[in-house]
Amino acid sequence: VQLQASGGGLVQAGDSLRLSCAASGRSVSSGAKAWFRQAPGKEREFVAAFSGSGGVTYYSDYVKGRFTFSRDNAKNTMYLQMNSLKPEDTAVYYCAAHRNRVAAGSVRYFREYDYWGQGTLVTVSS
């Protein structure tokens, strides 16, 4: 499975961006999917995740209410709509996927995921 993330860019505080992550190869439509981010000098951080078919979407407290995770199984693509962006949202954003569902208590841990995109840089200026 290959994941291709896109949609990053340079925006101003308060602006919006939508990230996309297209999967190719084996379908991961029923498995867990997630977005993580990593700012310079910091560890990779959980942003949002869907636990898998019939599951629930989870958000980091830092982005809850501003970011929305969605997916289009027909296109094998996941999205992250980011509104009201802040300078502290500046990071490389990575999409990730798992072949199966991930337990609710584990969706926030990047080591749970089998497949990773290459990352897309989001820079928010003040």
Side-chain angles (χ1 to χ4, degrees):
V1 174
Q2 291 80 42
L3 301 180
Q4 181 71 40
S6 61
L10 172 62
V11 297
Q12 293 187 332
D15 285 351
S16 298
L17 274 178
R18 188 176 82 153
L19 306 183
S20 300
C21 178
S24 60
R26 178 177 178 173
S27 173
V28 290
S29 60
S30 63
K33 303 170 185 57
W35 289 95
F36 289 79
R37 67 186 183 187
Q38 189 164 17
K42 294 188 177 182
E43 295 186 349
R44 193 164 298 192
E45 171 185 83
F46 168 74
V47 176
F50 172 68
S51 58
S53 180
V56 179
T57 302
Y58 301 86
Y59 295 95
S60 159
D61 288 344
Y62 298 114
V63 307
K64 193 176 296 182
R66 299 188 296 123
F67 291 12
T68 302
F69 178 99
S70 63
R71 68 199 190 279
D72 185 334
N73 288 338
K75 296 182 178 180
N76 223 11
T77 301
M78 68 178 94
Y79 305 95
L80 185 69
Q81 177 67 42
M82 305 186 295
N83 298 330
S84 303
L85 282 162
K86 304 176 181 180
E88 51 264 44
D89 294 319
T90 294
V92 176
Y93 283 71
Y94 298 90
C95 55
H98 195 286
R99 289 165 289 180
N100 302 305
R101 290 189 61 177
V102 173
S106 300
V107 294
R108 300 171 185 267
Y109 299 104
F110 68 86
R111 290 185 175 85
E112 288 292 325
Y113 295 88
D114 302 314
Y115 310 108
W116 288 87
Q118 83 288 3
T120 185
L121 176 63
V122 173
T123 304
V124 184
S125 63
S126 56

